[in-house]
Amino acid sequence: MRSIVKLKCINSIIDGSSLVCLVKKLTSMEASSTAALETVIIDCCSGVTREDCDAIRRLVKKMKVYA
């Protein structure tokens, strides 16, 4: 199975807490593989709070948020 290295959300409504859970699962599942989730990009999305972004930022190497 291929590893997810970049997660990109564009022009959507997102449940921020569910996104945090997904990122946690992806980073923990891929911890033993060679490539792990490194980047999360949120572009023109609603439903994600600053606390959600901070939680995701602690889990990945790069986090980009565009309004």
Side-chain angles (χ1 to χ4, degrees):
M1 184 170 147
R2 298 180 79 171
S3 298
I4 297 174
V5 179
K6 184 188 296 185
L7 179 63
K8 191 173 192 179
C9 304
I10 302 172
N11 293 327
S12 1
I13 299 171
I14 302 171
D15 178 11
S17 58
S18 295
L19 180 62
V20 173
C21 290
L22 175 65
V23 171
K24 282 181 185 178
K25 286 181 183 178
L26 289 173
T27 54
S28 67
M29 285 188 332
E30 295 176 350
S32 61
S33 70
T34 56
L37 180 64
E38 295 178 0
T39 306
V40 174
I41 300 171
I42 300 175
D43 189 0
C44 298
C45 296
S46 61
V48 181
T49 65
R50 183 165 192 80
E51 290 81 22
D52 297 331
C53 289
D54 290 340
I56 293 169
R57 193 171 285 122
R58 287 189 293 271
L59 296 168
V60 296
K61 291 180 182 179
K62 296 178 188 175
M63 171 84 179
K64 298 179 182 180
V65 179
Y66 301 103

